Amino acid sequence: MVDLWTTVLHVCAGIVALQVLTYVLPMVVALYLLPPHNLAARYDTEWALVTGGSSGIGAALSRRLLAAGINVVIAARDDELLAGTVAALTAAYPRRTIRSVGVDLSDLTGTSYMDAIVAATADVRLGLVFANAGWLPMGYLADTPGDAAAASVGVNTLSGLRLARHLLRRCRDERRRGAIVFTSSAAHFLPSPFASTYGASKAAVSHLTSSLAIEGANVGVDVLAVHPSYTRTNLYAGAPSLGVLGLLERAAATPDDVAAATLRAVGRVPAVDLGAYAWSTRIVSRIIDGAALTMAIVPFRGLVAPPPEATATIAAGGK
């Protein structure tokens, strides 16, 4: 009997070790062992599209792309923030071309923003798409306006899906390479109460990526989902005062940290997790069943619950 239990323990330990190894090794190689990419040469392009590029991770991606010699089309809300970011980037990189497209990515039909983006990129060899814009309605779903809940799915999931389809078709028809990068989130690794729409929409993005990475291989398009931990961006501006956000803030990454890691991972892995929160919650979710995690959290829900009147809708503008 002792030998049987010893064998069972060894098998279980082996399974856990295999899960951790297959999770950690590809990311370590992509982020730390391989040299940085020359994206312009790899994808034979001088143009990238960045949604939500007026602030946060999107603005950091735009800066790094411009520094690498790639022109950028920034699609974001048509406001002073977009104008200011474009002006600052133009001054910093005078030899590069920056185009801005004022769009509302919460349009559930997609017609308005896709028409504008397609028109703004029709005359260039677009090779890189960064679907980065995000919208986070935070609070009780019952208290969240229905339009806001649906619009967040439009921004977080549908806009990236439509842009991915557009680039896949262009690269297929023009017989050239490309890359699509989704800024997803580690929020969906565990249950995300009081940000349920956000977590669900990002889970959809990550699953979409894993499938498109296989489809895209047929036409030479690399697909990547990035799962950052808590990052200091406008995504959380106006959020209810939650203790968990205060804890995450202590170990928060900067947008430039996320942008640098993202550009290293493109074309090397289909998904990459960034930061201690993402790593730890991913491993926990691999070891403990999701339903069991949900049942374990329920008794402690009061520790992370906002007051019922504290629902906040954080507008889409980029992570």
Side-chain angles (χ1 to χ4, degrees):
M1 182 62 70
V2 174
D3 290 342
L4 175 61
W5 281 111
T6 300
T7 300
V8 170
L9 288 174
H10 285 167
V11 170
C12 291
I15 292 173
V16 172
L18 181 62
Q19 286 187 324
V20 173
L21 182 63
T22 55
Y23 168 60
V24 172
L25 186 60
M27 289 196 300
V28 169
V29 172
L31 296 177
Y32 303 110
L33 299 184
L34 294 177
H37 276 309
N38 181 338
L39 294 177
R42 177 181 177 87
Y43 297 107
D44 189 22
T45 186
E46 294 184 349
W47 284 90
L49 168 71
V50 181
T51 67
S54 57
S55 66
I57 296 171
L61 283 168
S62 297
R63 282 193 295 272
R64 284 188 168 270
L65 290 165
L66 290 164
I70 298 174
N71 304 312
V72 175
V73 179
I74 298 177
R77 285 179 298 170
D78 192 5
D79 57 15
E80 293 181 359
L81 185 59
L82 175 60
T85 298
V86 170
L89 292 175
T90 300
Y93 302 97
R95 295 186 178 182
R96 302 262 58 90
T97 301
I98 303 165
R99 296 180 180 179
S100 64
V101 186
V103 292
D104 177 9
L105 297 177
S106 67
D107 173 13
L108 294 179
T109 70
T111 303
S112 63
Y113 64 78
M114 284 305 301
D115 286 350
I117 290 172
V118 169
T121 58
D123 64 331
V124 300
R125 190 179 175 87
L126 181 66
L128 302 166
V129 168
F130 294 83
N132 168 78
W135 188 344
L136 173 59
M138 185 174 286
Y140 290 83
L141 180 61
D143 297 328
T144 302
D147 289 348
S152 70
V153 176
V155 174
N156 297 333
T157 307
L158 296 181
S159 66
L161 183 153
R162 292 184 175 110
L163 290 169
R165 179 177 179 272
H166 174 63
L167 186 66
L168 285 166
R169 290 170 68 91
R170 279 195 65 171
C171 289
R172 180 199 64 190
D173 295 345
E174 298 171 13
R175 298 182 180 278
R176 58 184 179 82
R177 301 199 65 184
I180 304 161
V181 180
F182 295 92
T183 303
S184 185
S185 173
H188 75 83
F189 294 170
L190 300 180
S192 50
F194 317 112
S196 55
T197 308
Y198 182 76
S201 62
K202 290 303 186 179
V205 166
S206 296
H207 188 84
L208 175 68
T209 300
S210 65
S211 299
L212 289 185
I214 299 170
E215 293 185 23
N218 280 340
V219 292
V221 175
D222 296 322
V223 186
L224 168 68
V226 181
H227 304 114
S229 297
Y230 186 95
T231 307
R232 296 187 182 95
T233 72
N234 290 340
L235 188 68
Y236 303 95
S241 179
L242 301 179
V244 66
L245 293 182
L247 291 174
L248 294 173
E249 172 66 26
R250 297 179 183 179
T254 67
D256 192 62
D257 294 334
V258 176
T262 296
L263 297 182
R264 290 184 73 100
V266 176
R268 290 173 171 166
V269 287
V272 65
D273 302 339
L274 304 177
Y277 177 83
W279 300 329
S280 59
T281 53
R282 173 75 85 174
I283 291 174
V284 167
S285 69
R286 282 175 171 238
I287 297 173
I288 303 176
D289 179 73
L293 282 171
T294 298
M295 291 188 292
I297 293 170
V298 167
F300 303 99
R301 63 192 181 280
L303 298 177
V304 295
E309 68 277 5
T311 293
T313 298
I314 302 166
K319 294 183 174 181

